[in-house]
Amino acid sequence: MRLRALLDTDALGLRLLGGEDELDRAVRGVMTTDLRDPSRYLSGGELVLTGLAWRRDAADSEPFVRILVQAGVAALAAGEAELGDVPDDLVVACARHRLPLFAVHESVAFATITEHVVRQVSGERAGDLAAVVDRHRRMMTSGPAGGGPDVVLDLLGSDLDLRAWVLSPTGRLIAGPKAPGPALPAEVCARLAAEHLAAQRTGRRGPHRTALGQTTYSLFPIRSGGRSPQAARDVRETVLSDWLLAVEADAGDWPGERLDLLQGVTQLIAVERDRRDAARTVRRRLAQEVLELVQTGAPPAEIAARLRVAAPVLLPGLGAAPHWQVVVARAEWDGGEVDGGKVAQSLLEEILVDPRTTGPEPSDRIAVAHTGDEAVALVPLPAVPVEHDGSAAGVLAEALLESVRQPLSAGLDDDGRVTLGVSAAVHSAEGLRGALEEARHARRVAAARPGRVCAAGHQELASHVLLLPFVPDDVRRAFTARLLDPLRDYDRRHRAELIPTLEAFLDCDGSWTRCATRLHLHVNTLRYRVGRIEQLTGRDLSRLEDKLDFFLALRMS
């Protein structure tokens, strides 16, 4: 239950003295104390009742409140029977630490409040949840009109006062409560997904509990088809594709019956997940057919015919797509014993969601095939912005991974990688084979970079940057050491900042005036530093070849 519900119960005689913004805190228990330090009896989430016998003078309030806050209690309720009005010093201390404070009328016994709280948060309400599950089971079996995951989340909120959200493995919000309340911020979704994936990789059984700020969440896995944890041979086969149910509550002290019933809720949501996966079958088959035609060198007319079939499925009402884009992803694990193709397929279907689309499943517009460890997405572009060269911009490689890097890295742990490449947009079947090769080449560029999650786009394939990842490591190290180590050693000994000076000088295209202005130096000082660089390396920064060598060395270092 929540603090707000206590305040709205007239029979409890509670009057709010501070903490109005914190009334959505959940109450997990109740404790009565007059000890100066009750911390050893607190586990967090309690409503603490006190008659203030611990208070000798105003200086006692601050340490008492600090102890309660450090223990994670939900609120403090002070009785008025002993001292009359609650002392101002206690009100101030609670306000300073954002601890909600109630005054208990002298006519109300603490036992009355205790009995009410215990009754509300006890396992007696597990029967109510059983009714919720049974009610939603009937709704789900009646077909799509049942409303999907949103309905069961609303029922959890209205019948059990539990706020819950369904999240994808990358933290995308799939369903949430419609009842009034603050929305779950995107950064919180991403952190919850990351915590869940990290817990899954360690093999811990759910629910996984995590605290973000002052809020505790319990994370329940939603396994496809109600699959048991043992159904997959290796957790890595599904860790990046399973949904999760995030509940704003600490399930650590829930009775077994309630945990079992929440697992039932996840099974109901898994039915909806399977329903959506089944709806993707047609799109996956279309992508597979087009991919096979492109790879086998089929005539453009045959490929165009398949695209005409695919367009109405992916873009209902439009009939055709003016442009297509290809995205290639690969999921790889150390040892190579886990097939990463399906994992990459699920990830592409997840991250290739157009934020401008609406409806229950925005990824309906994406067709993804997979072969071996590689997944290939065929993305229709009904209307896209145009780049400066007149080409269609479409999907940008780095933007795809920007918001999902944190949860993906947690799921990959220290033995997995996801790399992704994006082609330019093409407007005909003739260009599709080139787009596929372009996306694969961009993915190889991404794979040559450090990091667990990397992407590269077609824009990078026209740059010298394309060549750098394919230089052997020992050649890179020898080249950069020969040019830059003398400067680094000199900087360490004399704090001369020769490396930053070199970077700025090249970035300013060798302009003495602009570089001196950027570094806030006199031009003569800049000339001295550049002269020292040339002396230490035996190079001449007025020569294009030497400038290029320094430029490449800095890029590879």
Side-chain angles (χ1 to χ4, degrees):
M1 69 178 304
R2 300 188 183 278
L3 292 174
R4 193 180 304 279
L6 289 173
L7 190 62
D8 293 340
T9 305
D10 294 337
L12 300 182
L14 296 177
R15 180 164 51 90
L16 184 65
L17 300 180
E20 184 175 1
D21 295 338
E22 308 292 333
L23 291 180
D24 285 325
R25 289 188 184 185
V27 179
R28 297 194 299 108
V30 62
M31 176 192 176
T32 300
T33 184
D34 278 315
L35 295 173
R36 295 170 63 83
D37 182 2
S39 57
R40 61 184 178 275
Y41 302 111
L42 297 170
S43 59
E46 296 92 349
L47 170 67
V48 174
L49 306 174
T50 181
L52 301 177
W54 50 267
R55 181 185 178 277
R56 294 192 297 262
D57 55 47
D60 292 335
S61 292
E62 172 69 23
F64 181 77
V65 170
R66 189 186 310 115
I67 289 170
L68 298 187
V69 170
Q70 291 173 347
V73 304
L76 174 65
E80 296 179 323
E82 185 71 24
L83 300 180
D85 291 339
V86 176
D88 290 340
D89 49 89
L90 182 59
V91 176
V92 171
C94 287
R96 181 181 298 115
H97 292 280
R98 300 179 63 85
L99 180 67
L101 175 64
F102 299 98
V104 183
H105 194 272
E106 61 181 1
S107 63
V108 179
F110 282 176
T112 301
I113 300 175
T114 300
E115 180 183 354
H116 178 84
V117 172
V118 169
R119 186 171 62 250
Q120 292 299 313
V121 302
S122 70
E124 295 175 5
R125 297 203 68 190
D128 296 335
L129 183 55
V132 171
V133 173
D134 182 65
R135 177 180 169 191
H136 190 67
R137 190 185 304 277
R138 293 195 301 271
M139 297 177 73
M140 293 285 284
T141 55
S142 66
D150 300 274
V151 175
V152 74
L153 298 184
D154 286 338
L155 292 174
L156 287 176
S158 61
D159 290 16
L160 287 178
D161 200 25
L162 287 175
R163 299 186 73 219
W165 300 264
V166 178
L167 304 178
S168 77
T170 60
R172 180 171 66 91
L173 183 63
I174 293 169
K178 296 179 181 177
L184 199 63
E187 59 271 18
V188 173
C189 292
R191 289 186 62 187
L192 290 177
E195 293 284 347
H196 175 71
L197 292 177
Q200 291 280 86
R201 287 304 310 272
T202 63
R204 288 189 280 135
R205 294 176 58 86
H208 313 300
R209 291 176 293 155
T210 184
L212 300 184
Q214 295 185 342
T215 305
T216 298
Y217 298 89
S218 297
L219 310 176
F220 294 81
I222 299 174
R223 297 185 172 91
S224 179
R227 187 188 69 252
S228 68
Q230 294 77 26
R233 295 187 302 274
D234 192 309
V235 68
R236 294 174 294 179
E237 294 179 3
T238 58
V239 68
L240 299 182
S241 57
D242 282 342
W243 288 358
L244 66 136
L245 175 68
V247 181
E248 190 181 86
D250 188 342
D253 59 355
W254 282 4
E257 294 85 354
R258 173 168 286 208
L259 287 173
D260 289 343
L261 290 167
L262 257 294
Q263 296 293 352
V265 170
T266 67
Q267 292 172 10
L268 291 176
I269 298 174
V271 173
E272 177 65 16
R273 169 68 189 271
D274 290 344
R275 182 178 294 164
R276 296 188 185 191
D277 276 348
R280 290 175 173 170
T281 302
V282 173
R283 300 191 299 279
R284 288 173 173 174
R285 187 171 63 247
L286 285 171
Q288 197 73 43
E289 291 174 355
V290 173
L291 178 61
E292 290 175 0
L293 289 173
V294 171
Q295 292 187 133
T296 56
E302 188 176 354
I303 299 174
R306 296 310 301 162
L307 290 179
R308 284 194 295 272
V309 172
V313 176
L314 302 178
L315 297 172
L318 294 182
H323 295 91
W324 296 88
Q325 209 165 359
V326 176
V327 181
V328 172
R330 184 180 288 265
E332 300 170 289
W333 307 93
D334 291 352
E337 67 276 9
V338 177
D339 181 4
K342 290 185 178 180
V343 173
Q345 182 181 45
S346 297
L347 280 177
L348 283 184
E349 288 172 338
E350 169 58 37
I351 64 178
L352 284 171
V353 174
D354 185 348
R356 297 167 295 181
T357 60
T358 58
E361 188 49 70
S363 60
D364 283 350
R365 297 187 174 190
I366 292 142
V368 186
H370 80 85
T371 55
D373 287 337
E374 181 184 76
V376 179
L378 190 64
V379 183
L381 304 174
V384 295
V386 176
E387 295 181 338
H388 66 277
D389 61 358
S391 62
V395 176
L396 298 177
E398 194 59 33
L400 288 177
L401 298 179
E402 182 177 354
S403 62
V404 301
R405 194 177 303 277
Q406 178 186 15
L408 277 187
S409 297
L412 294 166
D413 196 17
D414 60 354
D415 64 344
R417 288 197 79 199
V418 168
T419 52
L420 183 145
V422 181
S423 78
V426 296
H427 65 276
S428 66
E430 289 86 348
L432 211 52
R433 181 170 187 134
L436 175 61
E437 291 306 316
E438 188 174 54
R440 282 176 169 162
H441 204 48
R443 192 209 63 78
R444 288 193 290 271
V445 171
R449 295 172 175 166
R452 292 287 169 189
V453 184
C454 298
H458 62 92
Q459 302 93 335
E460 299 177 60
L461 302 187
S463 167
H464 65 276
V465 177
L466 170 66
L467 303 175
L468 299 184
F470 301 103
V471 177
D473 288 344
D474 54 346
V475 175
R476 292 159 64 103
R477 285 192 293 267
F479 182 74
T480 56
R482 185 167 60 253
L483 278 177
L484 301 183
D485 279 2
L487 306 183
R488 290 171 177 150
D489 292 341
Y490 192 86
D491 280 347
R492 279 193 294 269
R493 294 196 309 269
H494 302 283
R495 297 183 181 179
E497 298 187 356
L498 296 185
I499 291 289
T501 300
L502 176 61
E503 290 174 333
F505 185 72
L506 295 175
D507 194 45
C508 292
D509 299 323
S511 169
W512 297 98
T513 304
R514 283 193 289 127
C515 184
T517 301
R518 174 181 296 190
L519 296 175
H520 306 290
L521 298 174
H522 192 279
V523 172
N524 289 340
T525 304
L526 175 61
R527 290 185 184 278
Y528 172 80
R529 289 188 182 180
V530 170
R532 179 64 66 184
I533 291 171
E534 293 175 333
Q535 179 185 14
L536 291 170
T537 60
R539 298 299 185 106
D540 183 354
L541 276 168
S542 65
R543 298 178 67 247
L544 176 61
E545 293 86 346
D546 288 343
K547 286 180 183 177
L548 181 59
D549 282 348
F550 277 122
F551 178 79
L552 293 174
L554 289 169
R555 283 299 184 97
M556 289 191 293
S557 63

